[in-house]
C-alpha cells in the first residue's frame, strides 16, 4: 500500500491485484460452454469417421465378391428372386481380400461377415455387405441392413 498526496489531504489507494468472484465465475461458465461445444463437435467428427471407415470396408467386401463371382460364375443365384451369400472367410481364403479390421485394429469376424448377392432380373444382381466387427455400434449394424426391399 502506498499513499498519494492530493492537495492537502492524504488518501489511501487500494491495490487491486486479484479477480473478483463474479469475474472468476463468468470465466468458468464461458470455458464450460466452450468445452461442451467442442466435445459435441469432436464426438460427431469421430462418429462420422467411424461410419465412413465401415462403409469403406463394406465396399471393399462388395468389390471382392464381384471379382470372386466373375471367376466363379456358378456361385451366382440361378433364379430371379433368389440370393447367395459369400462369406468374408471365403473371400480371404481365395485371396480376393485381406483381413478386414475395425477402427481399433481388431480383426472382423470372417465367418459371420458376408456379401449377399440377390438376383432381381435376368442379368441384374444386387450386392449387399454385412460386416460383423468387435466394437461396432448398433447404429452401424442397423445401417448395413438397409438393403433393397422387394415386394
Amino acid at each position: 500500500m502506498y499513499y498519494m498526496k492530493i492537495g492537502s489531504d492524504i488518501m489511501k489507494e487500494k491495490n487491486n491485484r486479484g479477480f473478483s468472484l463474479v469475474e472468476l465465475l463468468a470465466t468458468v461458465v464461458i470455458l464450460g460452454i466452450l468445452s461442451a461445444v467442442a466435445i459435441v463437435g469432436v464426438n460427431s467428427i469421430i462418429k462420422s469417421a467411424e461410419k465412413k471407415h465401415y462403409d469403406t470396408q463394406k465396399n471393399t467386401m462388395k468389390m471382392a465378391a464381384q471379382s470372386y463371382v466373375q471367376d466363379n460364375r456358378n456361385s451366382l443365384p440361378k433364379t430371379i428372386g433368389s440370393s447367395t451369400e459369400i462369406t468374408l472367410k471365403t473371400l480371404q481364403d481365395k485371396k480376393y481380400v485381406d483381413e478386414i479390421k475395425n477402427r481399433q485394429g481388431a480383426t472382423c469376424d470372417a465367418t459371420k461377415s458376408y456379401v449377399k448377392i440377390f438376383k432381381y432380373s435376368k442379368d441384374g444382381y444386387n450386392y449387399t455387405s454385412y460386416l460383423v466387427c468387435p466394437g461396432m455400434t448398433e447404429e452401424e449394424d442397423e445401417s448395413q441392413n438397409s438393403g433393397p426391399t422387394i415386394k
Side-chain angles (χ1 to χ4, degrees):
M1 237 186 295
Y2 62 94
Y3 297 96
M4 292 179 56
K5 185 171 181 173
I6 300 177
S8 63
D9 296 330
I10 297 177
M11 298 189 72
K12 200 184 221 184
E13 186 178 305
K14 286 185 177 179
N15 190 0
N16 292 330
R17 292 184 186 216
F19 296 105
S20 71
L21 184 59
V22 173
E23 291 170 330
L24 289 174
L25 184 61
T27 303
V28 169
V29 168
I30 290 170
L31 288 175
I33 291 170
L34 289 174
S35 64
V37 169
I39 288 171
V40 169
V42 168
N43 194 25
S44 69
I45 290 170
I46 290 171
K47 288 207 178 288
S48 173
E50 286 179 352
K51 183 181 180 328
K52 287 178 184 176
H53 172 78
Y54 289 119
D55 287 345
T56 301
Q57 298 294 24
K58 289 187 275 185
N59 285 335
T60 300
M61 285 176 52
K62 283 181 193 178
M63 289 189 298
Q66 289 170 343
S67 294
Y68 175 81
V69 296
Q70 284 179 353
D71 295 338
N72 301 286
R73 300 292 288 172
N74 59 343
S75 61
L76 284 170
K78 306 292 184 238
T79 59
I80 296 174
S82 63
S83 63
T84 303
E85 294 176 2
I86 301 172
T87 65
L88 178 57
K89 177 138 180 62
T90 301
L91 296 173
Q92 289 173 343
D93 290 345
K94 303 288 184 179
K95 306 287 187 215
Y96 285 93
V97 70
D98 291 329
E99 282 187 338
I100 291 183
K101 299 186 178 196
N102 68 2
R103 287 197 15 102
Q104 293 76 28
T107 304
C108 296
D109 191 340
T111 57
K112 293 180 183 176
S113 300
Y114 61 93
V115 177
K116 187 174 198 173
I117 305 168
F118 180 80
K119 184 171 186 171
Y120 62 87
S121 69
K122 181 180 177 187
D123 296 321
Y125 297 95
N126 183 18
Y127 295 78
T128 307
S129 298
Y130 297 90
L131 187 60
V132 178
C133 293
M136 202 169 176
T137 63
E138 289 180 24
E139 290 175 4
E140 290 145 357
D141 283 342
E142 289 172 7
S143 71
Q144 68 182 347
N145 292 331
S146 61
T149 304
I150 298 174
K151 295 179 182 181

